[in-house]
Amino acid sequence: MSASSNLVPIGAIRQPVHGRHHILSVLVENKAGVLARVALLFSRRGFNIYSLAVAPTDDERFSRITMVVDVETAPLEQITKQLHKLINVLKITELDPSDAVEVESMLVTIVAEGGSRSRALELAELFRGQVLDVNAERLTLMFALAPSALDDVEALLGEFGIVEVQRSGRIALARLPKPVRRVARRGKVS
Amino acid sequence: MRLTGAQALVRALEMEGVDVVFGLPGGAILPVYDPLLDSPIRHVLVRHEQGAGHMAEGYAQASGRPGVAIVTSGPAATNIVTAVADAAIDSVPMVVITGQVPTGAIGSDAFQEVDTTGITMSVTKHNWLVTDPADIPRVVAEAFHVATTGRPGPVLIDLPKDVSTGELEWYWPRRLDLPGYQPVTKGHPKMIEQAAALITAARRPVIYAGGGLVRAGAERELRALAERTGIPVVTTLLARGIIPDDHPLALGMPGMHGTYAAVMAMQRADLLITLGARFDDRVTGRVSAFAPEAKVIHVDVDPAELGKVRRADVPIVGDLRNVLPELLRRLPAEPADLGAWRATIAEWQQRYPLSYVPSEPGSATKPQFVVERLRALTPDDTILVAGVGQHQMWASQFWTFRAPRQWINSGGLGTMGFAVPAAVGAKAARPRQMVWAIDGDGSFQMTAQEIVTASAERIPIKVAILNNGYLGMVRQWQEMFYDERYSEVYLSPDLPDYVRWAEAMGAVGMRVDAPEEVDAAIEKANEVDDRPVVIDFRVDTFEKVYPMVPAGASNDDIVLPPHLVGDGR
């Protein structure tokens, strides 16, 4: 991905290249060294991890790694097969971005003095942000949003002057199945 | 019953049926070497830890059982990494146990500390750092299970010193809890049906037989498939012997130094029945030009191999010993008529056989001649081990293989120095079979000290050095592709003096200067049964390995030996 901002529209800078964006949800045994095995596999096979989030699941024997990888579809199949070969990997689900709910969080410190402070707080409220820290010159805000909305917030906050920003990498789950009413009705009519 | 971790480890190895381990003690592994004294397990004391690893590989390949190596921490662990990587790429089942500094010292840069599990993560199928003595029986059971099932491979257990001196209540796990490890063994019936349909429709099919068939022990199943269908078989470097070379359907080795018939049969095929092979670049040449008209059936126990290099029209995950009989069951009783295809291949075989120009009277021995004479003068079930280089290719080409597990070499990693220690391991596994290593002078010098091990342990291997005074394969590439600019490839045939070196290491040393001395030397070596033998065969420096597909070229651009074409093409 190009780093030159005049080629990439603001707000899209943190998105993977369209069509190469795959979310893998990987259920692993919660054992020492598992993250190292996964990370090493990616570097050894020449794959890129775009973002990565890992934490234990409700069952403490397992952790879930959510990663966004930035590859074409064919290498993706090779990635999942290689991941499956790791003894500590139990299950890999590829989440289609259009069929998943995705959230990413961000901590951001901006310059907010005098008149700009109220505008910043207004913007934070608009995106359901929280103020985590404050002093006379600066504000530290927290957001948890869909990644593209987070890009928008980051771009908008850029006008105030970003002092520091830290994003978490995205986490995701598959969308829940919905009843398919329309199809059933059409069946009755015909 | 209370045991120390070390006692539990040795007992667990006994439970797994281990009869020989290869190793070398040192500080962090010392506790394990004490109970080893009281165990019926034989320990072979190596002179360098890389040797222990290759011996375990040789043992595993000759016997079909996992090889075991035990070494200490730090430099011992790094020394064995080459062999672990070699086993990984050639799918050799191996269990390596390394000592580690005490758990409390891990991470402190203690004496002889390295991050062994970190270093070996990418070259093992799995590895374990044991932090509690109570885990030892479970980890050993898991390690042997993982090493030997699915696609076999090396595993490593890193054992801190305080864990091997600590105590546990002995147990042996009745079942293993590896929720993330469930190798698929049965092929998908729909896929097998599709494969049968492709085979029935094919007019120019080839069976591409790989090392996976040897690992699966599927020689009978392969032969049944070939004979029932009449489909010719190419055997990769790791699969040599899976079908006898004198079988009418055997085409020999494909690839960079393959037979013309094997290479061309694959190039012109309309169907490749790929069994336990992985489309290695040394087989395919330039992938985009490889077997352009062929549909692909690909059977492998490792799903990641399917579609990795070449898209498979019919991918089948499963154990070849299960899949092949299922496939056979679905084939029609009357095979398709492959007469025209077989006639074309027979013409290639006849016109471009593997051959070399015999040496003129009074001139240097041809290396291929040595290989042929060795085959002629040794028992049918002789195990042949090779190092890496020209001699390895000549061994694969000019030896007549008759059964699997009688050919052991380093295929994927190409590890020079493999031959001597791997031969020791093979002989330890199969003491009643004759074991010959064909080695190069360059290759031999990398691990020759294991001849000392062979002498001390009374493991009478025989080594034929094809001594051309050069790093011969590199020399060949410099001759062919670097305008004969020879850069750092000359070794000298006389330095070291191989005969005196062999004798100093407790072996019988012989030197053969002329073709007419070859037979007598081999016969004399065959009679020695109480110590190793090393024969320094002085061979023609200028001999090259042919045919050859230059690296990165299409298999269509195969270079034949000059005497078959006249103009070097």
Side-chain angles (χ1 to χ4, degrees):
Chain A
M1 191 160 56
S2 168
S4 86
S5 57
N6 57 345
L7 295 178
V8 183
I10 294 169
I13 198 160
R14 285 176 183 273
Q15 293 292 320
V17 177
H18 185 69
R20 292 167 50 108
H21 164 190
H22 301 275
I23 313 162
L24 297 180
S25 177
V26 185
L27 188 68
V28 299
E29 286 185 273
N30 190 3
K31 286 187 174 165
V34 174
L35 185 61
R37 287 178 203 280
V38 170
L40 185 68
L41 174 68
F42 272 74
S43 80
R44 140 133 174 75
R45 300 269 172 192
F47 306 138
N48 281 324
I49 299 175
Y50 179 80
S51 82
L52 181 130
V54 53
T57 63
D58 52 325
D59 184 335
E60 64 179 19
R61 289 174 301 161
F62 307 118
S63 287
R64 187 177 297 283
I65 301 176
T66 307
M67 54 179 120
V68 178
V69 293
D70 190 8
V71 291
E72 304 290 349
T73 305
L76 180 74
E77 188 187 320
Q78 185 58 208
I79 290 178
T80 56
K81 283 173 164 179
Q82 293 293 351
L83 274 175
H84 257 306
K85 285 171 69 169
L86 297 179
I87 308 291
N88 302 126
V89 169
L90 280 89
K91 196 176 169 202
I92 303 165
T93 318
E94 195 206 338
L95 300 173
D96 184 335
S98 64
D99 219 17
V101 287
E102 293 180 75
V103 171
E104 187 170 0
S105 51
M106 172 171 73
L107 293 178
V108 57
T109 300
I110 56 168
V111 180
E113 296 171 291
S116 73
R117 173 156 298 199
S118 58
R119 283 193 293 117
L121 290 171
E122 208 172 291
L123 188 67
E125 198 178 4
L126 195 60
F127 285 95
R128 283 164 286 138
Q130 287 178 15
V131 179
L132 294 191
D133 200 8
V134 58
N135 70 8
E137 298 88 29
R138 291 172 181 183
L139 279 177
T140 296
L141 304 170
M142 190 273 278
F143 298 87
L145 293 164
S148 60
L150 205 60
D151 290 343
D152 293 342
V153 176
E154 196 182 333
L156 290 166
L157 290 174
E159 291 167 18
F160 295 88
I162 291 178
V163 180
E164 208 172 359
V165 63
Q166 176 61 55
R167 290 174 65 152
S168 66
R170 63 190 75 186
I171 54 173
L173 287 174
R175 280 187 191 281
L176 300 172
K178 304 292 188 311
V180 274
R181 276 229 208 96
R182 230 176 294 160
V183 178
R185 219 179 269 159
R186 201 187 293 159
K188 262 185 205 166
V189 170
S190 69
Chain B
M1 181 178 41
R2 296 296 284 180
L3 294 182
T4 66
Q7 289 169 332
L9 174 78
V10 172
R11 197 179 163 100
L13 294 178
E14 289 167 7
M15 295 295 286
E16 290 291 348
V18 174
D19 58 352
V20 188
V21 298
F22 306 92
L24 193 145
I29 198 73
L30 262 171
V32 172
Y33 271 76
D34 188 69
L36 211 49
L37 273 179
D38 306 320
S39 169
I41 296 175
R42 177 183 186 187
H43 181 275
V44 174
L45 176 62
V46 301
R47 264 49 179 180
H48 184 287
E49 292 88 352
Q50 183 188 356
H54 293 319
M55 284 178 204
E57 287 187 90
Y59 175 96
Q61 296 202 52
S63 69
R65 298 195 302 272
V68 181
I70 302 180
V71 300
T72 191
S73 63
T78 55
N79 276 347
I80 207 168
V81 169
T82 299
V84 174
D86 190 276
I89 199 162
D90 282 353
S91 311
V92 180
M94 172 156 88
V95 178
V96 176
I97 293 148
T98 48
Q100 182 56 277
V101 301
T103 46
I106 289 178
S108 71
D109 303 320
F111 178 64
Q112 294 194 327
E113 182 190 358
V114 294
D115 172 15
T116 304
T117 48
I119 287 171
T120 57
M121 219 171 248
S122 68
V123 291
T124 49
K125 194 169 164 187
H126 194 62
N127 59 22
W128 292 259
L129 171 65
V130 186
T131 52
D132 181 346
D135 288 339
I136 288 175
R138 173 181 64 79
V139 167
V140 171
E142 288 179 359
F144 276 80
H145 178 68
V146 169
T148 54
T149 52
R151 179 180 184 166
V155 297
L156 183 142
I157 301 171
D158 200 22
L159 201 61
K161 195 169 186 178
D162 58 325
V163 175
S164 51
T165 53
E167 285 194 355
L168 68 147
E169 187 61 31
W170 168 259
Y171 66 97
W172 187 241
R174 247 179 264 147
R175 49 176 294 277
L176 301 177
D177 182 29
L178 293 164
Y181 181 69
Q182 282 140 351
V184 177
T185 55
K186 285 219 161 67
H188 197 290
K190 267 239 174 65
M191 289 293 169
I192 296 177
E193 215 148 87
Q194 285 181 28
L198 279 189
I199 291 172
T200 312
R203 290 299 166 266
R204 300 189 311 280
V206 173
I207 294 173
Y208 167 19
L213 284 161
V214 181
R215 299 289 178 265
E219 59 264 30
R220 246 179 261 143
E221 291 80 358
L222 167 75
R223 203 159 158 175
L225 175 69
E227 287 174 355
R228 166 85 164 278
T229 56
I231 299 175
V233 182
V234 303
T235 45
T236 67
L237 182 64
L238 285 185
R240 305 286 292 123
I242 194 74
I243 189 166
D245 278 333
D246 41 21
H247 192 285
L249 291 169
L251 303 187
M253 182 170 72
M256 181 174 272
H257 295 297
T259 67
Y260 185 84
V263 172
M264 292 319 282
M266 291 179 100
Q267 282 304 93
R268 303 285 172 262
D270 65 355
L271 177 66
L272 290 180
I273 304 160
T274 309
L275 308 175
R278 57 184 180 84
F279 296 93
D280 180 79
D281 56 272
R282 286 300 192 261
V283 167
T284 61
R286 198 166 71 236
V287 175
S288 59
F290 173 67
E293 290 155 42
K295 291 198 164 153
V296 172
I297 297 168
H298 196 170
V299 188
D300 205 291
V301 74
D302 179 359
E305 287 303 339
L306 308 179
K308 186 182 80 177
V309 175
R310 169 81 176 237
R311 198 187 73 84
D313 298 271
V314 180
I316 301 174
V317 182
D319 186 327
L320 285 152
R321 266 177 92 167
N322 292 332
V323 173
L324 292 186
E326 286 299 309
L327 178 59
L328 210 56
R329 221 162 49 77
R330 286 173 171 80
L331 288 171
E334 275 300 302
D337 176 19
L338 303 176
W341 175 229
R342 297 265 298 277
T344 306
I345 291 173
E347 198 191 315
W348 289 331
Q349 287 178 300
Q350 205 184 354
R351 206 193 303 174
Y352 303 116
L354 283 175
S355 63
Y356 62 96
V357 182
S359 48
E360 307 277 334
S363 66
T365 310
K366 291 296 175 98
Q368 301 95 328
F369 175 73
V370 177
V371 178
E372 286 179 337
R373 295 315 300 157
L374 270 170
R375 171 74 294 193
L377 298 171
T378 52
D380 244 14
D381 67 349
T382 299
I383 295 173
L384 181 66
V385 186
V388 168
Q390 286 181 312
H391 68 276
Q392 174 192 25
M393 293 296 108
W394 286 318
S396 174
Q397 290 176 333
F398 289 93
W399 191 270
T400 308
F401 294 95
R402 299 207 169 88
R405 279 179 287 284
Q406 293 175 12
W407 165 240
I408 297 169
N409 80 131
S410 164
L413 199 65
T415 309
M416 286 174 69
F418 179 84
V420 168
V424 172
K427 183 74 179 170
R430 291 270 176 264
R432 280 189 293 275
Q433 276 168 255
M434 194 178 278
V435 176
W436 270 94
I438 290 182
D439 217 348
D441 47 322
S443 211
F444 180 79
Q445 288 188 55
M446 289 201 175
T447 53
Q449 78 284 345
E450 299 309 333
I451 296 284
V452 180
T453 304
S455 298
E457 300 274 346
R458 302 263 170 226
I459 300 174
I461 61 162
K462 305 176 201 310
V463 183
I465 304 172
L466 303 184
N467 179 2
N468 61 8
Y470 276 91
L471 295 168
M473 190 60 96
V474 185
R475 184 195 181 284
Q476 174 167 345
W477 285 46
Q478 290 179 346
E479 180 181 332
M480 294 172 76
F481 312 120
Y482 290 85
D483 297 328
E484 301 180 45
R485 285 163 53 83
Y486 298 113
S487 175
E488 301 298 328
V489 285
Y490 181 64
L491 297 177
S492 162
D494 301 305
L495 186 67
D497 179 329
Y498 291 95
V499 174
R500 286 171 58 200
W501 194 12
E503 286 168 353
M505 293 191 287
V508 174
M510 285 186 257
R511 178 170 148 183
V512 172
D513 288 299
E516 53 276 12
E517 301 165 15
V518 168
D519 280 20
I522 294 170
E523 278 161 358
K524 193 174 158 201
N526 284 345
E527 279 160 26
V528 178
D529 204 30
D530 61 343
R531 68 195 66 196
V533 183
V534 177
I535 310 180
D536 171 12
F537 288 100
R538 298 298 171 93
V539 298
D540 190 345
T541 293
F542 303 100
E543 200 61 24
K544 292 197 282 293
V545 183
Y546 285 115
M548 179 171 192
V549 178
S554 159
N555 280 353
D556 289 327
D557 299 327
I558 183 168
V559 181
L560 289 160
H563 68 271
L564 285 186
V565 280
D567 63 351
R569 283 281 302 173

